[in-house]
Amino acid sequence: RSILAQEYQLACRVSAAVMGEEIGATVEVKLFGKWAYDEVSVSDLSLVDYIACKPEHAVFLPHSAGRWQKKRFRKSLCPIVERLVCSLMMHGRNTGKKVKAVRIVMHTMEIVHLLTDKNPIQVLVDAVKNGAPREDSTRIGKGGTVRRQAVDVSPLRRVNQALFFICTGARNSAFRNIKSIAECLADEIMNCAKESSNSFAIKKKDEIERVAKANR
């Protein structure tokens, strides 16, 4: 009986694997089952390796429970939509509420698609590309005096800062406002994608780059 049971289990595993391969061959992975990753492109050459939006990073749901912080630079392989979800979970009361953040991002994507009639993943990628400073200033201590020196910003930090600025701007505008966080996040992403001065991220970027230019 035990041999029969083992054979039955093995047959079940094989059939499941075959079905999985057939399904994988026919079903295209789309974000929330709606938006494809195929036509998404990163126009900035320096950010291509740091914005994970290619079909090999495609996910149905931006909730992988992956250990992206365990090794340096591993988070650059995390899908960009999931990184947005993680950035939303800030300020103590929101910590760890990832399902809530996923729902907010899903509503945001719907709003962006309705208002722009474009793939919302592409709009988000453009916003991340535009939303971070390319030059920043750091403190240099020299002979007991401290001065600021302009430096270039690495591609990974650009992505990190862009996501932080986008989420911070949306959070600030949604606070004590009749508009929902999803609507505010959609506005911020769209404004940032078209480099509008109404975007919090674009304002911060311009301010940081202006200070860096003065400290060259």
Side-chain angles (χ1 to χ4, degrees):
R1 180 174 296 196
S2 62
I3 294 171
L4 281 172
Q6 287 174 1
E7 286 180 356
Y8 177 72
Q9 285 178 347
L10 184 62
C12 287
R13 283 182 198 154
V14 169
S15 62
V18 169
M19 281 184 67
E21 286 179 4
E22 288 174 359
I23 290 168
T26 55
V27 174
E28 184 188 0
V29 179
K30 294 182 177 181
L31 181 68
F32 301 119
K34 292 182 179 181
W35 296 292
Y37 291 81
D38 293 337
E39 62 268 20
V40 179
S41 62
V42 184
S43 56
D44 191 331
L45 203 62
S46 64
L47 299 179
V48 169
D49 294 332
Y50 295 92
I51 297 179
C53 59
K54 294 283 181 283
E56 59 262 28
H57 302 116
V59 286
F60 284 111
L61 202 67
H63 195 316
S64 65
R67 297 164 65 187
W68 302 107
Q69 300 287 353
K70 284 290 173 187
K71 199 170 184 182
R72 194 180 182 195
F73 296 120
R74 187 179 286 171
K75 63 183 175 183
S76 64
L77 302 174
C78 180
I80 191 68
V81 183
E82 184 168 355
R83 294 204 61 193
L84 178 71
V85 167
C86 294
S87 295
L88 275 177
M89 293 192 295
M90 283 194 193
H91 293 285
R93 60 184 184 174
N94 301 319
T95 308
K97 297 181 183 177
K98 194 163 185 177
V99 175
K100 180 184 246 186
V102 168
R103 200 191 73 234
I104 290 166
V105 168
M106 186 170 71
H107 292 165
T108 299
M109 293 294 184
E110 290 280 5
I111 294 166
V112 170
H113 177 65
L114 284 171
L115 292 179
T116 62
D117 205 28
K118 295 178 185 172
N119 187 339
I121 307 171
Q122 182 64 63
V123 179
L124 174 63
V125 168
D126 292 342
V128 170
K129 175 179 71 76
N130 296 334
R134 291 154 295 187
E135 191 180 26
D136 202 346
S137 49
T138 184
R139 284 160 55 90
I140 301 268
K142 206 170 186 179
T145 60
V146 176
R147 70 185 191 87
R148 297 180 75 84
Q149 173 66 44
V151 291
D152 295 332
V153 181
S154 72
L156 185 62
R157 180 161 171 79
R158 281 181 62 192
V159 175
N160 296 347
Q161 276 200 304
L163 290 168
F164 174 74
F165 288 155
I166 287 168
C167 291
T168 304
R171 198 178 294 113
N172 292 347
S173 60
F175 189 62
R176 290 185 179 169
N177 191 351
I178 197 167
K179 287 172 82 172
S180 69
I181 179 70
E183 291 170 323
C184 292
L185 184 58
D187 284 345
E188 180 65 33
I189 288 171
M190 287 186 294
N191 286 334
C192 192
K194 59 190 179 194
E195 295 188 88
S196 165
S197 58
N198 295 329
S199 164
F200 175 86
I202 297 293
K203 282 179 193 166
K204 289 288 284 185
K205 170 192 171 182
D206 291 343
E207 180 190 340
I208 290 168
E209 287 186 345
R210 191 169 62 249
V211 171
K213 189 174 181 181
N215 290 315
R216 279 179 187 166

